[in-house]
Amino acid sequence: MRKIFILFLGLSILNACNTRQQAPSTQAEESLSADAERFLLQDAQDVFKPLPDVAENKDNPVTPEKVLLGKALYHDARLSKTGNNSCNSCHNLNTFGVDRNPTSTGDAGKNGNRNSPTVLNAALHTVQFWDGRAKDVEEQAGMPILNPIEMAIPSKDFLVKRLKEIKEYRELFAKAFPGEKDPLNYSNIQKAIAAFERTLLTPSPFDEYLKGNTNALTYKQKIGLREFLNAGCQQCHSGVTLGGNTLQKFAVFGNYWDYTNSKTQDKGRFEQTKNNADEYVFKSCGLRNCAETYPYFHDGSVADLKEAVRIMAKAQLNKELSQEKIDAITEFLKSLTGKVPADVATVPEWVVTVKKTQG
């Protein structure tokens, strides 16, 4: 039995049920004891993992040529029918891979019914989209382009023909997919965009902490990490991306719309499978950069991170967290804010980009 002694006005806590607990954060000296520091780090390392350098896919090796091509495609509004949208319109790399709107406006001016999640670190998720209908970013990359509300390209051949008229794309595809007789095809469009997205990883202070640098987190963030673990948040938000690896019912306790005041009731994965067991099932979102990727939930119905924490604790764990604990967990979540790779938002002059007002 390991004992964690955390100094809070002289209080030391030993959990009789072989779990580690944290006393209220009321001590004046903001530091953990050596034992508390060591055990907290070990608990975190048991549940979470640092980011890799690249989200590799053996079926689509990431090469500099593919990434260069993929970045151009990602920012090019010619991937939408009338040129009003690019991938970056809804997943803006200047604002942590989101547009910060509840739902995004498509090529024809209509909004979708689900929030556009961040593209950052998404290549490490086990499935894509809120309902998990795509297995990876390669499959996902081709779907919004053909979606009539999103980018509205009428067919794969339509886009391929459009891009083949552009000299720069003919050259880039030949370099990215050497040896192929006809490299500019729809499958390779998907692979190139996905290869670019596989480089969009954002290491944060929490990664340094997981590697053993306990000074990478502030005292308040460490208290928040302990509260996060004590509450059981890691049941859905674990691994390298702190989520994005399971499909979960929302809400487990009660109706999610009663918590979020959502205007519509989205049945989630059920819309794909028609299986009653999938009603209100959604992908658990990855929490990296969540302090910057508001608004939250599948419909963007909640803009405040602290409110989202409160709702999740009640809806998923049936726990009423105190404001002190909500504040602490929110401080921990801020440690997940990373740095967007340099130059990913810069594109060649020949690429047709669009500018949208952020919400």
Side-chain angles (χ1 to χ4, degrees):
M1 175 76 185
R2 292 183 298 187
K3 298 180 180 179
I4 299 178
F5 295 96
I6 303 178
L7 303 180
F8 288 106
L9 294 176
L11 292 177
S12 62
I13 304 298
L14 174 61
N15 186 314
C17 300
N18 293 323
T19 58
R20 301 182 183 115
Q21 300 293 330
Q22 174 67 59
S25 54
T26 56
Q27 77 170 34
E29 182 182 355
E30 294 193 341
S31 63
L32 302 183
S33 71
D35 281 342
E37 193 80 78
R38 178 163 54 90
F39 290 139
L40 179 59
L41 176 59
Q42 182 173 330
D43 283 350
Q45 290 173 331
D46 287 344
V47 175
F48 312 110
K49 302 299 176 188
L51 282 172
D53 294 330
V54 177
E56 292 285 2
N57 178 1
K58 62 181 179 61
D59 297 322
N60 182 31
V62 175
T63 66
E65 293 79 10
K66 279 186 196 173
V67 172
L68 182 64
L69 169 59
K71 182 171 78 167
L73 291 167
Y74 186 91
H75 287 278
D76 201 330
R78 285 174 289 207
L79 268 68
S80 65
K81 184 178 179 180
T82 59
N84 288 327
N85 282 65
S86 67
C87 302
N88 195 63
S89 300
C90 302
H91 305 281
N92 193 326
L93 296 178
N94 287 311
T95 50
F96 287 86
V98 299
D99 62 6
R100 291 177 174 166
N101 293 314
T103 61
S104 300
T105 305
D107 183 67
K110 295 182 179 180
N111 278 50
N113 62 349
R114 288 178 181 161
N115 177 259
S116 296
T118 180
V119 69
L120 302 179
N121 309 299
L124 293 167
H125 293 181
T126 55
V127 293
Q128 302 297 320
F129 294 111
W130 282 104
D131 54 20
R133 66 183 181 273
K135 65 178 181 179
D136 53 30
V137 287
E138 282 77 11
E139 184 176 10
Q140 183 277 334
M143 292 182 174
I145 296 172
L146 302 176
N147 185 291
I149 294 178
E150 295 179 61
M151 300 175 84
I153 290 292
S155 70
K156 295 178 181 180
D157 289 341
F158 178 95
L159 180 59
V160 169
K161 181 179 179 182
R162 174 182 282 184
L163 297 185
K164 280 187 174 181
E165 295 174 353
I166 303 165
K167 172 179 172 288
E168 289 85 355
Y169 274 129
R170 294 196 303 270
E171 294 174 349
L172 286 173
F173 272 92
K175 292 178 181 178
F177 301 95
E180 294 191 17
K181 183 178 179 180
D182 187 19
L184 206 170
N185 57 62
Y186 199 80
S187 176
N188 285 346
I189 291 172
Q190 293 176 253
K191 288 180 180 179
I193 295 173
F196 173 60
E197 292 181 352
R198 288 184 176 280
T199 68
L200 299 179
L201 307 185
T202 59
S204 70
F206 189 55
D207 292 282
E208 293 303 309
Y209 178 79
L210 291 174
K211 294 175 183 178
N213 179 9
T214 57
N215 293 323
L217 298 192
T218 67
Y219 167 78
K220 291 181 180 179
Q221 288 170 344
K222 292 171 187 175
I223 297 303
L225 170 58
R226 173 53 66 197
E227 296 293 359
F228 184 95
L229 294 170
N230 283 348
C233 304
Q234 72 277 17
Q235 293 177 40
C236 298
H237 299 284
S238 61
V240 68
T241 50
L242 291 85
N245 50 16
T246 61
L247 295 166
Q248 303 286 341
K249 183 178 180 181
F250 181 47
V252 176
F253 299 92
N255 301 313
Y256 78 75
W257 51 88
D258 291 331
Y259 301 114
T260 63
N261 295 316
S262 299
K263 296 179 180 179
T264 60
Q265 296 177 13
D266 186 334
K267 291 192 174 183
R269 187 165 173 77
F270 172 83
E271 301 297 340
Q272 291 293 315
T273 67
K274 305 306 178 184
N275 183 340
N276 290 336
D278 288 332
E279 284 191 351
Y280 312 115
V281 168
F282 299 89
K283 182 178 75 170
S284 64
C285 63
L287 295 182
R288 286 184 177 274
N289 301 305
C290 65
E292 300 290 342
T293 57
Y294 50 87
Y296 305 106
F297 304 127
H298 63 275
D299 55 1
S301 53
V302 174
D304 182 72
L305 182 56
K306 291 183 180 181
E307 177 65 5
V309 170
R310 184 193 69 79
I311 289 172
M312 290 303 290
K314 182 60 179 176
Q316 302 305 101
L317 301 167
N318 201 26
K319 293 185 177 182
E320 297 274 3
L321 294 183
S322 67
Q323 190 61 51
E324 183 180 33
K325 291 184 177 181
I326 292 173
D327 291 346
I329 291 173
T330 302
E331 282 302 310
F332 161 63
L333 294 177
K334 292 178 181 178
S335 77
L336 305 178
T337 301
K339 294 182 179 180
V340 179
D343 299 326
V344 295
T346 60
V347 292
E349 291 184 0
W350 60 269
V351 172
V352 178
T353 58
V354 293
K355 296 184 181 296
K356 286 194 177 279
T357 302
Q358 298 302 311

